[in-house]
Amino acid sequence: MTDYASQGKTRPYNPVDLTNCASHQAYYTALSRSASAKGTLILKGYNKQIITGGASGALRQEFRELELLDEITRLKFLNQLPTG
């Protein structure tokens, strides 16, 4: 099963082929489908660099945008959001 096909599914046993997973997001999607770590079996394709290589520029930008939205939401909740 590919990482995309596995989205939204949880399985007691999760054999995964990571060969075609090009990003840490794809690894996460494929590996997080099992109900436990014990139920996960990596068949092939593990690349340590994908996990430890750091976040891409696009991902860092997305995190920054989420931080800004979080601050806007907090200010609005507190009725402190400037108008205009």
Side-chain angles (χ1 to χ4, degrees), residues 3-21:
D3 59 326
Y4 293 105
S6 70
Q7 287 183 337
K9 296 178 176 61
T10 301
R11 305 181 308 182
Y13 300 102
N14 185 34
V16 292
D17 177 356
L18 299 172
T19 304
N20 295 317
C21 294

Side-chain angles (χ1 to χ4, degrees), residues 1 4 7 9 18-19 21-24 29 31 39 41-44 50 52 55 57 60 64 67 70 73-74 81-82:
M1 179 180 293
Y4 293 105
Q7 287 183 337
K9 296 178 176 61
L18 299 172
T19 304
C21 294
S23 69
H24 64 279
T29 302
L31 293 171
L41 175 64
I42 299 174
L43 300 174
K44 61 181 177 175
I50 290 177
T52 61
R60 285 192 302 274
R64 178 67 183 133
E67 288 173 351
D70 185 50
T73 302
R74 186 185 73 78
L81 189 64

Side-chain angles (χ1 to χ4, degrees), residues 26-59:
Y27 268 40
Y28 169 79
T29 302
L31 293 171
S32 66
R33 299 307 95 187
S34 60
S36 69
K38 187 176 180 179
T40 301
L41 175 64
I42 299 174
L43 300 174
K44 61 181 177 175
Y46 177 75
N47 179 348
K48 182 179 176 182
Q49 183 60 33
I50 290 177
I51 299 292
T52 61
S56 67
L59 183 58

